[in-house]
Amino acid sequence: DSGVTQTPKHLITATGQRVTLRCSPRSGDLSVYWYQQSLDQGLQFLIQYYNGEERAKGNILERFSAQQFPDLHSELNLSSLELGDSALYFCASSGRQAPLRETEAFFGQGTRLTVV
Amino acid sequence: GQNIDQPTEMTATEGAIVQINCTYQTSGFNGLFWYQQHAGEAPTFLSYNVLDGLEEKGRFSSFLSRSKGYSYLLLKELQMKDSASYLCAVRAQKYNFNKFYFGSGTKLNVKP
């Protein structure tokens, strides 16, 4: 158990719909990362938050947005869904209260999104 | 930006040794990580190097040369369960926080 919790585990929805994926980082971790992984593809970095602020953005579509709340949990919102958005969405967390003592990134089990 | 390159796919035989290479270009380098990912599952941490040299952890070892921007993961006594993707990741520090950059992964096929 990595300590990172993602919900839901599976999600099936129709094209054009909007979904919200949730991530609870490990206790004390300040950084949250979101990744998209399509079938047989590598991890595609979407966005990073650090202590509530957006810190880095990857190739995240304008239809996608995210935020990190004061309790450090994060949500990834996907709207106007298309078939090509079907993928595994991973959340990872890292960074203790003292970033210089940070170690590896820990991954949640992912949310498998299927758009039909 | 950050560039991380690793082979797309490799095949090896059960019981053998395999070396998976990773090259990177980054600023603010603050550690290199290897992760294992089985299909449909979350990546799990394997090893971490921040200084040059070899880190050994059972059947797995990882090597780093910061001057060359090069790392490898060595897997010994391969088992069928080692069939997975292996992700090389670089951690870079910017201001007061870190960011992880992942390579696309090397899919390792272990055959009997």
Side-chain angles (χ1 to χ4, degrees), chain A residues 37-88:
Chain A
Q37 189 172 42
S38 301
L39 189 63
D40 292 334
Q41 300 295 309
L43 289 171
Q44 298 298 318
F45 170 67
L46 295 177
I47 198 164
Q48 177 192 5
Y49 281 84
Y50 179 81
N51 202 20
E53 294 185 15
E54 180 186 306
R55 288 296 189 175
K57 241 179 178 178
N59 295 325
I60 186 168
L61 300 172
E62 285 191 13
R63 301 184 285 110
F64 295 2
S65 65
Q67 58 185 131
Q68 186 178 29
F69 295 86
D71 67 354
L72 301 178
H73 91 271
S74 178
E75 292 181 356
L76 179 68
N77 301 297
L78 315 176
S79 61
S80 303
L81 284 168
E82 302 175 359
L83 295 178
D85 297 327
S86 295
L88 264 171

Side-chain angles (χ1 to χ4, degrees), chain B residues 36-58:
Chain B
Q36 180 190 60
Q37 186 182 24
H38 286 100
E41 299 182 9
T44 55
F45 168 73
L46 285 178
S47 70
Y48 162 64
N49 296 69
V50 68
L51 299 176
D52 290 352
L54 189 68
E55 293 285 339
E56 297 190 73
K57 221 176 177 184

Side-chain angles (χ1 to χ4, degrees), chain B residues 48-107:
Chain B
Y48 162 64
N49 296 69
V50 68
L51 299 176
D52 290 352
L54 189 68
E55 293 285 339
E56 297 190 73
K57 221 176 177 184
R59 294 190 299 115
F60 295 178
S61 304
S62 57
F63 172 83
L64 175 66
S65 169
R66 289 171 296 170
S67 62
K68 294 181 180 177
Y70 169 69
S71 173
Y72 68 72
L73 179 69
L74 194 70
L75 294 79
K76 304 174 191 172
E77 300 169 15
L78 279 173
Q79 302 176 9
M80 298 299 292
K81 68 178 182 179
D82 296 330
S83 291
S85 284
Y86 291 85
L87 310 175
C88 171
V90 171
R91 185 177 66 196
Q93 186 170 354
K94 185 176 181 181
Y95 306 119
N96 67 338
F97 72 98
N98 289 308
K99 185 186 170 187
F100 286 84
Y101 299 86
F102 281 84
S104 295
T106 298
K107 185 177 180 183

